[in-house]
Amino acid sequence: MDSSQSRPEGVLSVLDTDLYKLTMQCAVLQFFPKTHVTYKFTNRTPDMRLSREAFLWVQSQVEKLNDLFLSSEEHDWLKLQCPYLKPEYLEFIRHFRFNPSQHVKLQYVAVSETHGDINLLVEGLWVDTILYEIPLLALVSEAYFKFCDRDWSYKEQEEVAYEKGTKLLRGGCVFSEFGTRRRRDTETQHRVIQGLKRAAEECQDCSGKLTGTSNVYFAKQYDLQPIGTMAHEWFMGIAASENDYEDATRTGLRNWTKCFGKGVLAVALTDTFGTPAFLKIFGQPMPEELINHDAANTDSDTQKVPTYAEIFTGVRQDSGDPLEYINTMRKFYQTMNIPNGRTIVFSDSLNVDKCIEYKSNAEQAGFKPTFGIGTFLTNDFKSLSSGAKSVPLNIVIKLSSAEGHPAVKLSDDLGKNTGDQEEVEKAKKQLGYIGKHWEGGNEKSRWG
């Protein structure tokens, strides 16, 4: 690892997070402002543990979150670049402060003389705690590669990102950088985005396109579009808080549309409780309250009530077999008599070759594919001593409960079921969930 005292470290801003955390916080503020939740940290690479020195650094950085606030410049930029964020929310986030001493419980559990596990719990009102996930994950990853595994270098990281970006652009891929949560560190993400921007500037005649980054802070810094809509957490929190899996998707889609409007932030994540269960609701007509709210639809009593599938511009694939997903969505849209041209955003464990493969298959099925590429961009290194891959941490922070009820995620891959096992089985039974294993979805060896 290169050493330099001048490089930025830790979390740089309230906006140093993924856009979908802000959009969900906006919706939570409107519909669930008093909902109490918990979040739990999981290390899916348990053999990669932190030293006590690394833990103490994380602890100090978590305390520093208390110092972050939205600057006037950031507020004005957010208002201009994200017009879908409501004035009430912009006023809320203007005054938002992290309060880690109240919300975050962090404990080091030694398992040897040199290393240990982290117990990390976040607890509080949903609207107050929703922004912790991305900064905490980024800090744990940075700590590991700052103190525990230093056998790597920043050298050529910008060039590597440039080469990846160039291949994607020449391959006709439309893509965004999605790598904040598992970035090696802040400096790495800077270099990656610099490399991607340079590739885009030098490949303007390519059929592909760099559409932006999920990181709102870096979008502002590098004059890129912030990208994102919703995460599993939105549907998980609704299901847990209302203790109802069968109606959670309907409530989530209805409230999302009420918050942002028809066709706005309209890429739906389908796999929280399995795509088949989602599509049963996605294909249903919008409720009357949403139709009446739209003056354009009140002129004719005979006008057909649109379904959610018609007003959402596309879907996001985040688990299971991507090629099977393409086929599932093609059949669904055909059954709904919805013409070709819908978007599929692929965001699960991507690399250049996978993007090009999925692009070809999706286009043949009549879709417009786009790609959210994360860890492959912001944590792709080689060991200096051996030349082998320097394996990233596979860490997650998931919503654990809402209003005292366990929160779970089923997904389209049994290997990605998350949460209390008894509650997982309850949800499967209620929804008629039939799980599948995808050979490409092994969480323990996902990136090496």
Side-chain angles (χ1 to χ4, degrees), residues 242-288:
E242 301 185 355
N243 199 24
D244 184 347
Y245 293 99
E246 294 178 275
D247 205 45
T249 296
R250 182 180 292 104
T251 300
L253 292 173
R254 182 185 69 240
N255 288 353
W256 194 262
T257 305
K258 286 178 70 174
C259 185
F260 300 109
K262 295 197 306 178
V264 181
L265 298 176
V267 172
L269 181 60
T270 66
D271 70 332
T272 306
F273 303 120
T275 292
F278 180 90
L279 294 182
K280 291 178 182 178
I281 307 302
F282 202 46
Q284 293 181 3
M286 295 168 53
E288 192 69 22

Side-chain angles (χ1 to χ4, degrees), residues 165-176:
T166 299
K167 289 178 182 178
L168 289 163
L169 294 164
R170 289 177 177 170
C173 295
V174 177
F175 70 98
S176 302

